[in-house]
Amino acid sequence: MSADDQPRSVSQTEQYEQCAWRWYLSRIERVKKRPAAWSCHGTAFHTAAEAWERSSRTLRVDEVAEIFRDQYTELVNSALEEEPDTNRWLAAGRYSGGEDIERRYSLGLEQTRAYVEWSKAARPDIWTTPADEPGLELSFMVELGGVMVRGFIDQVLDEGNGSVRVRDLKTGSMKSKFQLQTYSVAVRKLWGLPVDKADWYLARDGRLSRPVKVGTVTEEEIGQRYADMDAGVKRGDFPAAPGFSCQFCDVSHRCIFSSQKT
Ligand code: SF4
């Protein structure tokens, strides 16, 4: 399947909008990406939180922490095999790549334990799909703006009044309203359910964000962003946008426009 025919996603679209040249280097040139501990941290946290919820909250907190530990270690080790020089790993702020790996191990364990405690107290009401699946890591593929869009929704909650709420679990600080809007429109389209609110569970703070109103977001306005991105890719339009985001760019080592020294 060529890049022209692939389904799109929230991250692809936002990446294209932020710097289309990065999209080109990643997906057309297939430049080998520099690893980042934050990515292993995010994936391992999601796996642990999902396992906890799927167990109907019967696992012990140390068992959930162990799931984080095992997955984080496996992901980091696998990335180290690809890139053993941790100075070449992406790292945010004052930490080196190696320091970030160490620090996120402890941080992720702490956040996993905090999620379990929060969930025990808040008891989020996980929605059940018509196929009797819990609303956890739900995969979807829908047409938006004439473009096939795919994604995974971390959690869909039953609001108790016939509507549901979409929730995204965040270990980082970058929050995407477009992501919540896309997921809300997808849930409406796939299951015909009203979605008025969406939110983020913020692992950094161990709490929920304020709800985001998504009840008035239309399929047309969300679909337009996918249509614009898809048309840009098909035109071969990949302008570079060097700036702040270069420091988080996993292909900056191969970018002649980068504002970063690598
Ligand atoms: S380094 Fe900057 S300009 Fe280059 S691809 Fe990455 S984000 Fe774009």
Side-chain angles (χ1 to χ4, degrees):
M1 191 183 282
S2 78
D4 275 5
D5 310 323
Q6 282 171 8
R8 307 305 181 193
S9 64
V10 170
S11 59
Q12 271 200 55
T13 304
E14 290 188 326
Q15 188 181 88
Y16 181 87
E17 291 172 348
Q18 279 163 9
C19 178
W21 187 241
R22 179 178 173 191
W23 198 100
Y24 173 83
L25 290 177
S26 301
R27 296 167 199 275
I28 308 281
E29 290 291 319
R30 297 192 178 278
V31 168
K32 191 173 147 193
K33 295 174 187 170
R34 290 161 65 198
W38 64 63
S39 155
C40 306
H41 172 190
T43 304
F45 176 83
H46 278 75
T47 303
E50 183 187 354
W52 160 250
E53 296 296 350
R54 278 194 192 276
S55 78
S56 303
R57 301 173 193 141
T58 56
L59 289 173
R60 292 194 317 272
V61 66
D62 55 314
E63 291 175 313
V64 188
E66 195 173 324
I67 292 169
F68 174 87
R69 186 183 296 116
D70 289 350
Q71 168 118 65
Y72 184 77
T73 306
E74 186 185 323
L75 291 169
V76 166
N77 285 343
S78 157
L80 281 169
E81 271 176 35
E82 292 280 316
E83 180 50 82
D85 182 355
T86 55
N87 289 321
R88 291 185 52 77
W89 281 47
L90 285 169
R94 61 183 189 276
Y95 302 102
S96 68
E99 288 167 343
D100 211 31
I101 292 172
E102 291 291 325
R103 156 185 111 82
R104 284 177 185 276
Y105 174 77
S106 312
L107 182 63
L109 281 173
E110 202 179 291
Q111 291 175 343
T112 300
R113 291 193 182 102
Y115 176 80
V116 170
E117 295 308 326
W118 171 84
S119 170
K120 273 187 195 168
R123 305 182 63 77
D125 190 359
I126 307 291
W127 176 67
T128 305
T129 71
D132 213 23
E133 286 291 317
L136 297 168
E137 293 294 326
L138 285 179
S139 71
F140 69 85
M141 176 94 88
V142 287
E143 190 184 314
L144 297 173
V147 177
M148 292 313 293
V149 176
R150 70 175 168 203
F152 288 89
I153 308 172
D154 289 343
Q155 296 184 353
V156 179
L157 291 312
D158 191 335
E159 293 278 64
N161 59 1
S163 70
V164 294
R165 179 184 297 221
V166 165
R167 177 163 296 155
D168 191 57
L169 310 182
K170 278 270 154 278
T171 48
S173 54
M174 309 275 250
K175 300 198 290 292
S176 163
K177 206 179 260 191
F178 177 55
Q179 182 183 36
L180 294 183
Q181 292 171 331
T182 296
Y183 293 176
S184 302
V185 169
V187 167
R188 261 188 244 150
K189 202 167 157 117
L190 285 170
W191 291 291
L193 290 165
V195 190
D196 299 322
K197 292 176 188 163
D199 59 26
W200 295 279
Y201 173 81
L202 307 168
R204 290 198 328 172
D205 306 326
R207 64 171 175 88
L208 293 181
S209 71
R210 293 167 80 169
V212 174
K213 289 182 184 162
V214 289
T216 56
V217 179
T218 65
E219 185 178 334
E220 288 68 33
E221 65 186 286
I222 292 299
Q224 191 59 51
R225 281 179 69 174
Y226 289 102
D228 291 347
M229 172 265 186
D230 191 64
V233 169
K234 287 177 174 158
R235 278 197 312 273
D237 197 7
F238 299 108
F244 177 74
S245 60
C246 294
Q247 64 184 302
F248 307 109
C249 176
D250 49 12
V251 291
S252 59
H253 53 295
R254 286 280 305 276
C255 175
I256 55 172
F257 305 104
S258 175
S259 64
Q260 297 290 297
K261 290 187 175 63
T262 55

